[in-house]
Amino acid sequence: MAAYWLARSRITDPVEYKKYTDLVPGILARHGGKVLARGGKYQIMEGPEDFHRFVVIEFPTHAQAVACFESEEYKAAAAYRRAGAGVVENVIVEGGEFTV
């Protein structure tokens, strides 16, 4: 079942953040990820307006999405933004309808 990596971000240093975003597409592709939305027009319908960039990435499985996020190559790329280039919230959610 497909899984989706959802990211919300606030960029504080565009130059350093670009070093991260330049590396990520290739890493995602090697793990089966497909970018569905990256940046672009958005409208916050409810909740805090803490973030101004939104990304949705589809993976064939939850395990592949988690493996990508935990990979050494992704950690190396993420080091650019984690060093102060931005604030990011990442969530990986499995697709489908589930009830509690």
Side-chain angles (χ1 to χ4, degrees):
M1 181 169 294
Y4 300 90
W5 176 343
L6 312 170
R8 304 185 317 159
S9 65
R10 179 173 13 103
I11 300 166
T12 55
D13 183 340
V15 173
E16 286 299 302
Y17 200 86
K18 187 170 180 347
K19 292 177 184 178
Y20 161 71
T21 60
D22 285 348
L23 297 172
V24 171
I27 297 167
L28 298 175
R30 285 190 286 282
H31 288 272
K34 177 184 173 185
V35 175
L36 301 180
R38 182 179 183 201
K41 185 177 179 180
Y42 69 91
Q43 184 171 342
I44 297 173
M45 305 305 291
E46 186 173 351
E49 297 185 14
D50 297 337
F51 299 98
H52 62 260
R53 182 175 172 85
F54 301 87
V55 181
V56 180
I57 306 156
E58 181 180 52
F59 286 84
T61 68
H62 186 271
Q64 283 176 276
V66 171
C68 180
F69 187 84
E70 294 178 342
S71 71
E72 292 305 315
E73 61 186 338
Y74 181 76
K75 288 178 187 176
Y80 289 111
R81 67 169 173 73
R82 290 176 179 159
V87 176
V88 177
E89 176 183 79
N90 287 299
V91 177
I92 296 172
V93 61
E94 190 171 51
E97 288 190 43
F98 298 94
T99 60
V100 179

